[in-house]
Every structure is written in C-alpha cells, then in structure tokens.
Amino acid sequence: MRKTIAELIEDRFGLPTTAGAALPAEGTVAQLLAHRTHRRYKPDPVPADVLEIVLAAALSAPSKSDLQQVGVVLVKDRAKQATIGGWIPDMPWIATAPLFMVFCGDNRRIRRIAGELRHRPFPNDTLDMFMNAAVDAGLVLQGFITAAEAMGLGCCPISVVRNHVEKLAELLELPAGVFPVAGLTVGYPSQAGWISMRLPPALTVHTDRYDDGGLAAQLDAYDRRREARHATPPASQRFVDRYGLTEPYGWSEDKARQYSVPERHNFGPFIRRHGFGLA
Ligand SMILES: Cc1cc2nc3c(=O)[nH]c(=O)nc-3n(C[C@H](O)[C@H](O)[C@H](O)COP(=O)(O)O)c2cc1C
C-alpha cells in the first residue's frame, strides 16, 4: 500500500501524528517530506536541458525587495572541480560529482547599478544587506534542491567550501560583494539515501512567545529516537581523542563536540575584506 503524508511526517520526526493520515504521499509536500541529501551518484551527467529547467525553477524563489542578489557558478571545468575537491579530501563527492556548483550571495550587482550605472548614492553598507544576499542565495539553493529532487536528481550542499573561501574566491574570480553561501554536488543518486530525523516541532515551533523551557527533556528524547533509528557507531563519535567514547551518544553530544573547536573563523574577516562593512 502507498504511504500517507502522516507516515512521511512520522518518518521525518520519529513521532506519531494523525495529520495527513487521509492524504496520499504525493505532490510537493510529500516530496519535501521525503527530502534527503545524496552524496553518492551514478556517473551519468546532468543533461543540459534538465539543468536549465532546475535552474529556472530555483531562480523562481522569492527575493528580498526583488533585488535578486544571487550568483550561481557552474563549475564545468573539471580541473577546477578537482582543485576544490582536493582541498576537502574527506568529502570525495565534491571531486567526483557529475556536477558541482557554488551558490553565492551577490551584493555587487545592486552596488554597480546604484553607483556606476544609475549614479545614485548607496548609503547601505549594512549587515542587513549582507544577510539579504545570503538569504536570497539560500532560497535559490533550496529551490534548486527541491526542483532537482523532483527531476530525479540528488544533491549535497557544501558549506565546507567556506573553510577555503579565499582560495575559492580566487579560483572562481568572485569579486568584492560576491561571496559563497554553499557549494552543491548534483547527480543521479546511486543509493536510496535515508531520512535524517529532525528536532521535534515542540522545539522549533513556538506559539505567541518564544519558549525553550522544554529543551533538556525534548533533546534527550530526540537523541534517543534518533539513535534508535540510526545508532552512531563508536568509530563515528567526534573528537574521541579529546572527549573519549560517550554512552549514550546522540545528536546533542555530537553537535556540542563539533562546536567545541573553532570553526571557520576565516569567514568574517574575509567578508569584511571582500566589500562588506556590515554596519
Ligand atoms: C547550507 C548547508 C551546508 C551544508 N554543508 C555540507 C557539507 O559541507 N558537507 C556535507 O556533506 N553536507 C553538508 N550539508 C548537508 C547537511 O549535512 C544535511 O542537510 C543535514 O545533515 C540534514 O540531512 P538531510 O539534508 O538529508 O535531511 C549542508 C547543508 C546545508 C543546508
């Protein structure tokens, strides 16, 4: 028997629900609920017309003030793709994916339009301008992933390119005002992949006022649900040399360990050097 929307919601959160029990798992909502990141691909290339369709759908995302502050770099030069993959050897799908691209925030265009082409002042070198461009790029990235999945493709966003942002900007000739939000590997999946369980809406959805009073208890239950579905093998525990093996391990311990070391402190200084005052 085909699944229902309710079953897809249960797959996503590991919690029972009656919402969508009468709805077949079809259409856009079902596709969003079934989303999964794919890191292994068949060697088949992404056909040019499929890429054009997916890009057009992605670029249909809403945009702050209709400013359309996105720039997408298709890395078609395999040598450049290999160079980027070489910086990040623990993610081999970057070098081998049939398609690699980089989604950028682009604040340069509006600055050029204002100053160079329309001769207007631009007294807006603000953090908000940076965030608008980052959000626009993120929305286009999500639209690309959704459209790609609808066309049978699989994707993996790659924020780790920001660890190498100076080299990346040089390699792709990203001028001041244009900054990478994430790379994206794309291809036809060679494996089914799996659903990554999300935090319960009890933690992420608030009514009328923000309230995280239930964090500790909800988190413990989430860690247990998630580990019951996909147990983290001891070999996958993070920074064992520093923290040893923890039992039980879980998402919260993993994330606490992940951010117990400095990560990507190069990015803020890069952005400030790269055309943003962030006032
Ligand atoms: C902005 C962004 C950056 C990401 N960067 C990476 C990355 O560098 N490497 C990677 O393997 N996955 C990356 N991911 C994928 C996440 O790990 C993945 O979305 C998350 O584990 C949830 O899994 P799911 O997408 O299958 O639901 C990124 C996702 C996003 C949205």
Side-chain angles (χ1 to χ4, degrees), residues 32-81:
L32 287 169
L33 285 165
H35 156 76
R36 62 206 68 183
T37 288
H38 287 281
R39 299 181 175 86
R40 292 177 204 279
Y41 311 103
K42 297 174 185 163
D44 313 51
V46 179
D49 59 339
V50 172
L51 178 59
E52 186 177 338
I53 292 165
V54 174
L55 277 170
L59 293 166
S60 303
S63 160
K64 161 71 178 69
S65 288
D66 205 11
L67 282 171
Q68 309 178 46
Q69 295 189 87
V70 69
V72 181
V73 182
L74 305 172
V75 183
K76 290 192 172 177
D77 180 339
R78 297 299 287 194
K80 286 192 179 185
Q81 183 179 350

Side-chain angles (χ1 to χ4, degrees), residues 12 35-37 39 91 93 141 156-160 182 194 196 198:
R12 177 59 71 197
H35 156 76
R36 62 206 68 183
T37 288
R39 299 181 175 86
M91 296 184 185
W93 48 96
L141 171 69
C156 179
I158 306 288
S159 64
V160 176
W194 70 94
S196 176
R198 292 292 188 266

